[in-house]
Amino acid sequence: MSDISFVRTDMLPEQEPPATTVGFVGWARANLFSSPLNAILSILSIVAVLFVLSVILPWAFMSSWNATSLTDCREQIAAAYGPDHHGACWAVIKDRWVQLVFGFYPPYPIDGTAHLGSPPEGAWPAYFRPIATFVLILTAVAPVLFDKLPRKMLLITAVFPFLMPWMMWGGTFWNPVGAMLGFGIGYLAYRFIAPIAGSLAGVIAAALLPIIWWLFLMGGFASTMQSIIALDIPTVNSRKFGGFTVSIFIGVVAIVGSLPLGIILALGRQSDLLIVKALCVGFIEFIRGVPLITLLFVASTLLNIFLPPGTEFDIILRVLIMVTLFASAYMAEVVRGGLAALPRGQYEAADALGLDYWKAQRLIIMPQALKISIPGIVSTFIGIFKDTTLVSIIAILDPLGLTAGIRANAQWNGIYWELFAFIAFVFFIFCFSMSRYSMYLERKLKTSH
């Protein structure tokens, strides 16, 4: 019987993959034209997108940037592109961008009023305070978002919640100092009382004493220190806040405040203490069952009814409290979902290591729960930032609220889409940035393969 076995002695040389399986062509074949149905749907979608772009792009780019009114804008577009062309009048953005960004915030708040034309001698640069506040926001959140930055920058993060309101509203510098002292009093109260009377008594003292300080003693402290060392800047009324300044201000405060409150509420909802659990569940379910606009109406109109006569409660401060509480209820459910997703073995491992409740939460449970909850947390942040536009309903002039005044002006009466397109674009930049950072953080913290 003859031997017909064959053993290869030479390997075939490597070849490039077929051109139809790599690059854009390969991606299109795999994702757009993988079957007859997908091919039909892809072609219809491409035609629809091209049709929309054929309408939007000429309107957006064959436009006017230098007109002084809507009539002048239309005349310039007709002269440049023909009488039948309807282009965008971006000149309204060029003319009113300062108002859309800063609202009616005084550009030179030396004496608390706006100075038109040239600034008076010695005046601060235009809109120094809101611009400096925005820079402070970026500086404060940078070490939290990116761990490669120097840890010393966290000092700026710690003082940011106290400096930001002072820079925007003004007044004496001793108000933020007094607010910081309240937290110091709470910390010292816990350190001294907890070892003597127990942790529960320490927590109650740490919460109660700062409230007493802020409500009854801080005002006298600030007045006394101001009389000794005068450090103040002009006060700006909340009704002058507006534009993207107020949207960013409310959004940042609500985002920063809602995450720790949401974590506390999520832990309280899972607590074995009946009173704590009942309070947390009741708060979360009530807030989640009421529309935000209802809470804003309560903050703007009904809240003063329950306050003593003559009490002044700043409208922006009321909105900040309501939006933060509203966001914290939703954040609590997001964090609770992350806690529920953890295997029971993680809790048992913490117990086996001999960790107490708070150390277990800080070192083992909460880092993993927050990592799982990143998409939901960022989605809640994006929702909070977009919901700041609802404040226009209670007469706070955010960008949407300002559009009504701009369109009522005789120069720009009748303009519409350009203002809303610009506002939508700015909101998209902020929200898209948060979404990209969320994806970056998920990739960075990914431990599974």
Side-chain angles (χ1 to χ4, degrees):
M1 185 175 180
S2 61
D3 185 7
I4 59 174
S5 61
F6 174 77
V7 178
R8 174 182 292 175
T9 57
D10 298 324
M11 298 296 294
L12 294 176
E14 294 184 359
Q15 297 182 359
E16 295 291 333
T20 57
T21 62
V22 295
F24 175 77
V25 175
W27 176 87
R29 284 173 58 91
N31 296 277
L32 303 181
F33 304 100
S34 57
S35 67
L37 178 61
N38 282 349
I40 294 174
L41 294 177
S42 298
I43 293 173
L44 292 177
S45 300
I46 292 172
V47 171
V49 169
L50 292 177
F51 173 77
V52 173
L53 291 178
S54 67
V55 176
I56 292 179
L57 293 181
W59 174 83
F61 290 99
M62 299 171 68
S63 55
S64 173
W65 283 91
N66 300 310
T68 57
S69 66
L70 182 58
T71 302
D72 184 24
C73 182
R74 288 172 176 171
E75 291 175 354
Q76 291 184 14
I77 293 174
Y81 306 107
D84 296 330
H85 179 72
H86 301 284
C89 186
W90 300 117
V92 65
I93 306 300
K94 184 178 179 180
D95 184 53
R96 296 301 183 97
W97 73 268
V98 172
Q99 188 177 355
L100 288 171
V101 174
F102 300 107
F104 297 101
Y105 200 93
Y108 306 104
I110 299 302
D111 56 2
T113 59
H115 298 274
L116 302 178
S118 300
E121 184 178 355
W124 291 357
Y127 300 104
F128 170 82
R129 280 160 61 175
I131 294 175
T133 302
F134 183 72
V135 173
L136 178 64
I137 292 172
L138 297 179
T139 308
V141 301
V144 178
L145 300 181
F146 305 101
D147 57 359
K148 293 184 179 180
L149 294 175
R151 295 294 90 188
K152 292 181 179 179
M153 291 181 65
L154 289 173
L155 293 174
I156 302 176
T157 307
V159 301
F160 156 74
F162 307 98
L163 288 181
M164 183 179 178
W166 174 68
M167 293 182 66
M168 293 299 297
W169 274 296
T172 175
F173 177 72
W174 299 107
N175 283 330
V177 172
M180 286 189 282
L181 286 176
F183 287 96
I185 291 171
Y187 173 76
L188 292 176
Y190 180 81
R191 290 295 302 270
F192 282 103
I193 296 177
I196 300 173
S199 297
L200 182 59
V203 170
I204 294 174
L208 187 60
L209 291 180
I211 293 175
I212 295 174
W213 165 262
W214 290 325
L215 293 179
F216 303 106
L217 302 175
M218 192 182 80
F221 164 80
S223 301
T224 302
M225 295 302 299
Q226 178 66 17
S227 63
I228 299 173
I229 305 175
L231 295 174
D232 64 327
I233 56 177
T235 302
V236 178
N237 188 277
S238 290
R239 290 297 180 183
K240 295 184 180 293
F241 286 41
F244 287 104
T245 297
V246 75
S247 295
I248 295 173
F249 184 50
I250 295 174
V252 168
V253 173
I255 287 172
V256 172
S258 64
L259 183 58
L261 283 177
I263 293 173
I264 294 172
L265 288 171
L267 295 176
R269 184 161 189 164
Q270 293 187 330
S271 174
D272 295 330
L273 299 175
L274 181 60
I275 297 179
V276 173
K277 183 175 182 177
L279 289 175
C280 292
V281 171
F283 174 83
I284 293 171
E285 296 303 328
F286 171 77
I287 294 295
R288 293 176 70 234
V290 178
L292 177 58
I293 188 61
T294 304
L295 298 176
L296 293 178
F297 273 120
V298 170
S300 63
T301 58
L302 300 180
L303 190 59
N304 283 338
I305 298 175
F306 302 98
L307 296 175
T311 303
E312 292 292 336
F313 201 167
D314 190 90
I315 180 63
I316 297 290
L317 182 59
R318 284 180 269 167
V319 170
L320 288 173
I321 293 173
M322 284 298 182
V323 175
T324 302
L325 294 178
F326 180 83
S328 65
Y330 283 86
M331 191 65 66
E333 291 300 279
V334 173
V335 175
R336 187 170 71 92
L339 292 171
L342 285 182
R344 184 63 191 171
Q346 296 297 315
Y347 295 87
E348 295 173 351
D351 294 337
L353 291 173
L355 301 178
D356 60 23
Y357 177 80
W358 293 110
K359 286 185 178 180
Q361 292 292 337
R362 181 171 61 90
L363 299 175
I364 295 179
I365 306 302
M366 197 53 64
Q368 297 182 76
L370 293 179
K371 174 187 163 185
I372 296 171
S373 306
I374 286 174
I377 290 173
V378 175
S379 296
T380 305
F381 286 167
I382 292 173
I384 294 169
F385 185 66
K386 292 190 294 185
D387 284 344
T388 58
T389 56
L390 293 175
V391 300
S392 61
I393 300 177
I394 58 173
I396 296 178
L397 296 178
D398 75 315
L400 289 181
L402 288 169
T403 57
I406 294 173
R407 288 185 287 115
N409 187 279
Q411 290 179 314
W412 303 109
N413 189 11
I415 203 160
Y416 191 83
W417 291 108
E418 292 84 348
L419 291 169
F420 291 108
F422 173 73
I423 294 170
F425 175 74
V426 175
F427 270 94
F428 172 78
I429 293 298
F430 280 97
C431 296
F432 183 75
S433 300
M434 285 189 276
S435 175
R436 294 299 97 182
Y437 177 77
S438 169
M439 297 180 66
Y440 155 78
L441 197 59
E442 288 184 66
R443 291 193 301 268
K444 181 179 178 181
L445 299 178
K446 186 177 181 181
T447 56
S448 58
H449 299 282

